[in-house]
Amino acid sequence: MPPTRSSDAATSPWWAARWLAVVFPLLATFLALGLWITLSPADTMHVLREGGPIEGLTEKMYFFLAIALWFSPRKPDEWRVTLALTVLLVAAGAREMDLHKALTGYSVLKVSFYLQNHPLLTKLVAFVCVASTAAAAIYVLRNRMRSLWQGMRRGEPMACSIAVLVITLVITKLMDRSISVLGQDFGLHASASTVALVSALEETVEMSLPMIASWARLQYMKLATCRSRLHKKPPVWA
């Protein structure tokens, strides 16, 4: 009798669960609800403040993962992908620290920044940083998008975790803009309690992003090790 999906799941190691990465944003959601229920709106926003414990932990995890990539096994010719991922992780950590506003107090991610009367050197530095991040993202997409899509269709654990990462990222961005869009575009002004709830969800779920990325990396390394043992060859890292 051919193996079934249930029998495969029963013999799979714990790290090979396809959608286990969903646990991270779910736990973050419970944390957000716990903060919102137990604290007043003002105290909740204080915990979520810029440079507070939630954002501080998020940015540190991004930087830690960027460093850890260079200490984990990889193929010698895969340094470009590692470098591109490092740029993206550092950029994410810098974004959490609001460094995109550090030069002038205005976001360098907006086109209007480059049209305003800022010093030319400031614009050049900002453009190089933004362009480097965009180039890194394009490089990763061009070199990994097809294999990730095929892996997700096959139900490979790491590919499924990356899918969870992307979906979670989109959700956090939607939550980040929801209150201001409702107020500016529709004239619907949320109460302090609603603002605190949405902010708590956005910040804590955003904190799960580097956790999901770390989990996907762990799954990839475990899978490479298992394949090498199966074929009795050294692991092929990427």
Side-chain angles (χ1 to χ4, degrees):
M1 178 182 295
T4 62
R5 183 179 295 269
S6 59
S7 63
D8 289 342
T11 59
S12 297
W14 60 272
W15 53 264
R18 290 183 178 88
W19 302 106
L20 191 59
V22 175
V23 169
F24 296 105
L26 285 179
L27 290 177
T29 300
F30 291 138
L31 174 59
L33 293 175
L35 291 173
W36 181 66
I37 292 172
T38 58
L39 301 177
S40 66
D43 289 338
T44 300
M45 297 305 294
H46 179 71
V47 174
L48 304 172
R49 69 190 185 279
E50 300 292 339
I54 301 296
E55 283 204 355
L57 180 58
T58 304
E59 64 195 36
K60 287 179 176 63
M61 286 192 292
Y62 276 124
F63 293 133
F64 176 81
L65 181 56
I67 296 173
L69 285 179
W70 294 94
F71 289 92
S72 60
R74 66 181 182 280
K75 290 170 59 178
D77 59 345
E78 291 292 338
W79 64 270
R80 294 182 181 85
V81 174
T82 303
L83 179 60
L85 291 174
T86 301
V87 171
L88 294 177
L89 290 169
V90 171
R95 173 66 178 80
E96 286 297 313
M97 297 175 66
D98 282 338
L99 293 184
H100 61 298
K101 299 179 182 178
L103 293 175
T104 63
Y106 195 82
S107 176
V108 302
L109 303 178
K110 297 181 178 179
V111 176
S112 56
F113 168 83
Y114 302 93
L115 302 178
Q116 294 179 353
N117 188 27
H118 297 300
L120 178 60
L121 180 60
T122 300
K123 292 181 180 180
L124 288 175
V125 172
F127 178 77
V128 169
C129 293
V130 174
S132 299
T133 304
I138 293 172
Y139 184 84
V140 171
L141 289 174
R142 289 187 61 182
N143 284 271
R144 290 293 184 266
M145 177 58 74
R146 179 176 296 180
S147 61
L148 283 174
W149 175 251
Q150 293 173 347
M152 190 172 64
R153 294 182 64 180
R154 292 193 298 266
E156 292 185 357
M158 186 203 69
C160 294
S161 295
I162 295 298
V164 173
L165 176 68
V166 173
I167 293 172
T168 304
L169 176 62
V170 172
I171 291 174
T172 59
K173 295 308 176 185
L174 291 175
M175 288 191 294
D176 186 36
R177 294 292 301 164
S178 60
I179 297 296
S180 59
V181 168
L182 288 174
Q184 296 173 4
D185 297 346
F186 299 97
L188 300 175
H189 300 287
S191 64
S193 179
T194 301
V195 172
L197 174 60
V198 174
S199 299
L201 288 170
E202 188 263 326
E203 293 293 344
T204 56
V205 174
E206 194 172 57
M207 183 177 63
S208 71
L209 293 174
M211 298 179 186
I212 300 171
S214 300
W215 175 250
R217 179 63 180 177
L218 174 64
Q219 287 179 313
Y220 180 82
M221 294 172 62
K222 290 286 190 180
L223 182 61
T225 301
C226 288
R227 286 174 174 172
S228 68
R229 290 174 179 172
L230 181 63
H231 297 91
K232 297 182 179 179
K233 295 180 180 179
V236 178
W237 302 102

